[in-house]
Amino acid sequence: MSGHERKDVHNSDVPILCQACEARHKGICGALDPDQLVRLSKSTTKHVHAREDELITAGEEPQRYSNVMGGIVKLTKLMADGRQQIVGLQFAPDFLGRPFAGESKVSAEAATEVRLCSFPKTVLEEMMQESQGMEHRLHSQTLKELDEAREWMLTLGRKSAQEKVASFLYLVATHIDPEREIDDKPIVVELPLKRSDIADFLGLTIETVSRQLTNLRKSGMIEIENNRQVTVPNLAKLRNCTEQNLDT
Amino acid sequence: MSGHERKDVHNSDVPILCQACEARHKGICGALDPDQLVRLSKSTTKHVHAREDELITAGEEPQRYSNVMGGIVKLTKLMADGRQQIVGLQFAPDFLGRPFAGESKVSAEAATEVRLCSFPKTVLEEMMQESQGMEHRLHSQTLKELDEAREWMLTLGRKSAQEKVASFLYLVATHIDPEREIDDKPIVVELPLKRSDIADFLGLTIETVSRQLTNLRKSGMIEIENNRQVTVPNLAKLRNCTEQNLDT
DNA sequence: CGACGCCTTGATCAACTTCAAATTTTGTGG
DNA sequence: CCACAAAATTTGAAGTTGATCAAGGCGTCG
């Protein structure tokens, strides 16, 4: 064992906090060198938030940024009369918080229990000054979110209720384990949202969501284990439901 | 007049091409110093595209980036069965093209006659290496587009047909002259889209768009001059229609 | 003029919402 | 662990909104 220099010898420089962290590699922290990582980790706090905790309030300027370490965060917009729209879901190791920009235009709420790794705005801004890599990572994440938002605009504007619900299930199923390929093996999908949230994500009512889930169950696309768990026997088939071609 | 040193004396260093350009200040070129500006302008071509010209094709990787100098560009997504959704409109001096990323996930088409100032991908990437400012500007534009996309998700998911059409008119009216404040003076709005495009932007059918325009006309919110021109006597009132509170 | 593209209007229809229970699940305290 | 209350979900019936189908008008261009 000894006598053999491990590739990871430099891990000794990496804060313990960060060693097992996804954000360290796939998230924004991947842009940092060990020195910066140490500095950042000094002002870092980890926190577990319960479901329903408000993480960012629309109209306020958050003073801290975070990496999502675990759990799922929902981003919402609210109208004066109470109508609501969920405009995005964030999974680990997504970055949470709006770079530069003053107040956030969306609220962020823990959809499940969420683990965050947070740090002051100022420290991140410092590191953005030092290395281009950091802004580049943030920019990449913003581009990804923009793609997702536009994809969802298509869902909201042009898909039927059935397609919407299938699209939601497909989205969640494919984000649980991003490595997984679309094969024929059944997947147990843990739903991060309750029906009313799913409705707010899809621009539907809870009743319609419920009915469409029932339809998908009856047509064998899914099995409903309980309110928060659905089994998808065949993901490829479910994907077909996200964009039905009703021609011919 | 002479004998008085003008602030703009350095304009002599700025390519003639760029001197009257909006993008030079408000667009991404604002991040460049005169030297870079000269270099960029050397590989720059201006081009006028007719309405309906396809500027970027979804699924292809564009080799050139552009600044929108004039006119309006629509970004669209298409489903296999022909359903379409417009996911964004771009006005001068917006940047057009997807940094880094491989293929574009949206198509871009000239909604009106459009003037573009284009340059090879490689040159922009060079300048991103040299100065942080450039990536920062691009990042800012991406953030702006993300905000707009999410705002529109609320419109698509949660607003009534009437509110959607009012939202569209309000969006266009407020983008014609971004300087203008919301006062009571009538505005003549040049619609950049025909009815079927408005429908694709709002997730409606042309018939519904037409009917809602008629409704807004009958209720005095707008005057319809012709298919492509609408007068808004009172923008503030129109804004109220974008989010009606039907309570009480 | 006549054809075509675009828009409007009317009538009917279907999808989704709303309203109203009934049922199941979840959480809490004894 | 059970009982019970509260919350969430499902289901049914009726109502609305917006879609679809169909016809006609208007403007432009050859």
Side-chain angles (χ1 to χ4, degrees):
Chain A
M1 299 282 167
S2 65
H4 209 70
E5 183 155 316
R6 293 175 60 223
K7 265 190 189 167
D8 264 359
V9 64
H10 291 302
N11 262 359
S12 49
D13 302 333
V14 173
I16 297 168
L17 212 59
C18 307
Q19 279 181 30
C21 175
E22 254 190 302
R24 161 94 185 86
H25 302 288
K26 288 187 276 177
I28 58 161
C29 296
L32 301 172
D33 60 40
D35 169 57
Q36 291 176 306
L37 209 53
V38 169
R39 269 192 295 143
L40 183 61
S41 71
K42 276 185 183 141
S43 43
T44 261
T45 58
K46 289 195 176 185
H47 208 289
V48 177
H49 293 269
R51 187 186 285 185
E52 310 255 289
D53 272 11
E54 190 150 37
L55 308 176
I56 296 175
T57 306
E60 288 181 14
E61 183 164 359
Q63 291 311 306
R64 296 178 70 74
Y65 291 145
S66 310
N67 281 315
V68 179
M69 310 286 295
I72 299 177
V73 175
K74 64 183 191 199
L75 305 177
T76 67
K77 287 182 87 85
L78 192 62
M79 289 172 68
D81 60 2
R83 282 176 283 177
Q84 199 170 18
Q85 178 68 45
I86 294 183
V87 296
L89 294 180
Q90 304 209 265
F91 301 77
D94 286 347
F95 172 80
L96 186 63
R98 193 191 160 91
F100 338 115
E103 55 181 44
S104 175
K105 306 222 170 142
V106 299
S107 299
E109 183 181 308
T112 61
E113 183 176 284
V114 166
R115 285 179 296 120
L116 293 186
C117 178
S118 329
F119 37 85
K121 226 173 145 150
T122 49
V123 179
L124 188 80
E125 273 157 8
E126 245 171 55
M127 295 188 176
M128 249 191 295
Q129 294 297 325
E130 292 171 21
S131 61
Q132 293 202 322
M134 178 54 83
E135 177 146 26
H136 186 76
R137 292 250 174 171
L138 288 169
H139 188 185
S140 295
Q141 155 136 354
T142 308
L143 282 164
K144 192 194 76 179
E145 287 179 25
L146 181 58
D147 283 342
E148 289 168 353
R150 287 175 170 166
E151 186 66 40
W152 210 250
M153 288 174 75
L154 179 67
T155 301
L156 289 172
R158 287 302 183 203
K159 291 190 185 176
S160 68
Q162 169 119 207
E163 290 170 323
K164 284 179 176 183
V165 172
S167 297
F168 168 72
L169 293 173
Y170 186 77
L171 173 76
V172 175
T174 51
H175 277 76
I176 290 173
D177 178 3
E179 310 297 304
R180 189 180 218 288
E181 34 185 273
I182 300 165
D183 50 28
D184 288 356
K185 289 165 207 138
I187 313 174
V188 177
V189 180
E190 198 79 36
L191 301 183
L193 304 179
K194 59 183 176 185
R195 299 291 183 273
S196 64
D197 284 337
I198 299 175
D200 284 341
F201 194 26
L202 296 171
L204 299 170
T205 59
I206 37 175
E207 293 94 332
T208 300
V209 170
S210 177
R211 279 185 247 271
Q212 296 305 335
L213 283 169
T214 305
N215 287 351
L216 288 169
R217 176 174 60 72
K218 285 184 180 161
S219 62
M221 300 309 309
I222 59 172
E223 285 150 35
I224 299 178
E225 309 300 339
N226 60 53
N227 286 345
R228 291 283 195 151
Q229 260 184 349
V230 161
T231 302
V232 179
N234 186 323
L235 195 53
K237 272 190 189 166
L238 180 63
R239 188 183 46 191
N240 290 336
C241 295
T242 65
E243 188 172 338
Q244 297 219 4
N245 200 324
L246 300 165
D247 291 349
T248 70
Chain B
M1 301 284 165
S2 65
H4 210 71
E5 183 153 318
R6 295 176 59 223
K7 267 190 189 167
D8 263 0
V9 65
H10 290 301
N11 261 359
S12 50
D13 301 334
V14 173
I16 297 168
L17 213 57
C18 306
Q19 279 181 27
C21 176
E22 254 190 302
R24 162 93 185 87
H25 302 287
K26 289 186 277 179
I28 58 161
C29 296
L32 300 173
D33 59 40
D35 169 57
Q36 290 177 308
L37 209 53
V38 169
R39 269 192 294 144
L40 183 62
S41 72
K42 275 185 182 144
S43 42
T44 261
T45 57
K46 289 195 174 185
H47 207 289
V48 177
H49 293 270
R51 186 185 285 186
E52 311 256 286
D53 271 11
E54 189 150 37
L55 308 175
I56 296 174
T57 307
E60 287 182 14
E61 182 164 0
Q63 291 311 305
R64 295 178 72 74
Y65 291 145
S66 309
N67 281 315
V68 179
M69 311 286 295
I72 300 177
V73 175
K74 63 184 193 201
L75 305 177
T76 66
K77 288 181 86 84
L78 192 63
M79 289 172 68
D81 60 2
R83 280 176 284 177
Q84 199 170 17
Q85 178 67 44
I86 294 183
V87 296
L89 293 181
Q90 303 209 267
F91 300 78
D94 286 348
F95 172 80
L96 186 64
R98 195 193 158 88
F100 336 116
E103 55 182 45
S104 174
K105 305 223 169 139
V106 301
S107 299
E109 185 181 307
T112 63
E113 183 176 283
V114 166
R115 285 178 298 118
L116 294 185
C117 176
S118 331
F119 37 84
K121 223 170 148 153
T122 48
V123 179
L124 188 81
E125 273 156 10
E126 245 172 56
M127 295 186 176
M128 250 190 294
Q129 295 297 324
E130 291 170 23
S131 62
Q132 295 202 322
M134 179 53 84
E135 176 146 29
H136 186 78
R137 293 252 174 168
L138 289 169
H139 187 184
S140 295
Q141 155 135 356
T142 308
L143 283 164
K144 191 194 77 179
E145 287 179 25
L146 181 58
D147 283 343
E148 290 168 353
R150 286 175 172 166
E151 186 65 41
W152 210 249
M153 287 173 76
L154 180 66
T155 301
L156 289 171
R158 286 303 183 203
K159 291 189 183 175
S160 69
Q162 170 119 205
E163 291 170 323
K164 284 180 176 184
V165 171
S167 297
F168 169 72
L169 293 174
Y170 186 76
L171 174 76
V172 175
T174 51
H175 277 76
I176 290 173
D177 179 3
E179 310 298 304
R180 189 179 220 288
E181 32 185 273
I182 300 165
D183 50 28
D184 288 357
K185 288 164 208 140
I187 313 174
V188 178
V189 180
E190 197 79 37
L191 300 183
L193 304 180
K194 60 182 175 186
R195 298 292 182 272
S196 66
D197 282 336
I198 299 175
D200 284 341
F201 194 27
L202 296 170
L204 298 171
T205 60
I206 37 177
E207 294 93 334
T208 301
V209 171
S210 177
R211 277 186 248 271
Q212 297 304 335
L213 283 169
T214 304
N215 287 351
L216 288 170
R217 174 173 61 68
K218 284 183 180 162
S219 63
M221 301 309 310
I222 60 172
E223 285 149 33
I224 298 178
E225 309 299 338
N226 61 51
N227 286 344
R228 290 285 193 152
Q229 261 185 345
V230 162
T231 301
V232 180
N234 187 322
L235 195 52
K237 275 192 188 165
L238 180 63
R239 190 183 45 191
N240 290 336
C241 296
T242 65
E243 188 172 340
Q244 298 220 359
N245 202 324
L246 300 166
D247 291 349
T248 72

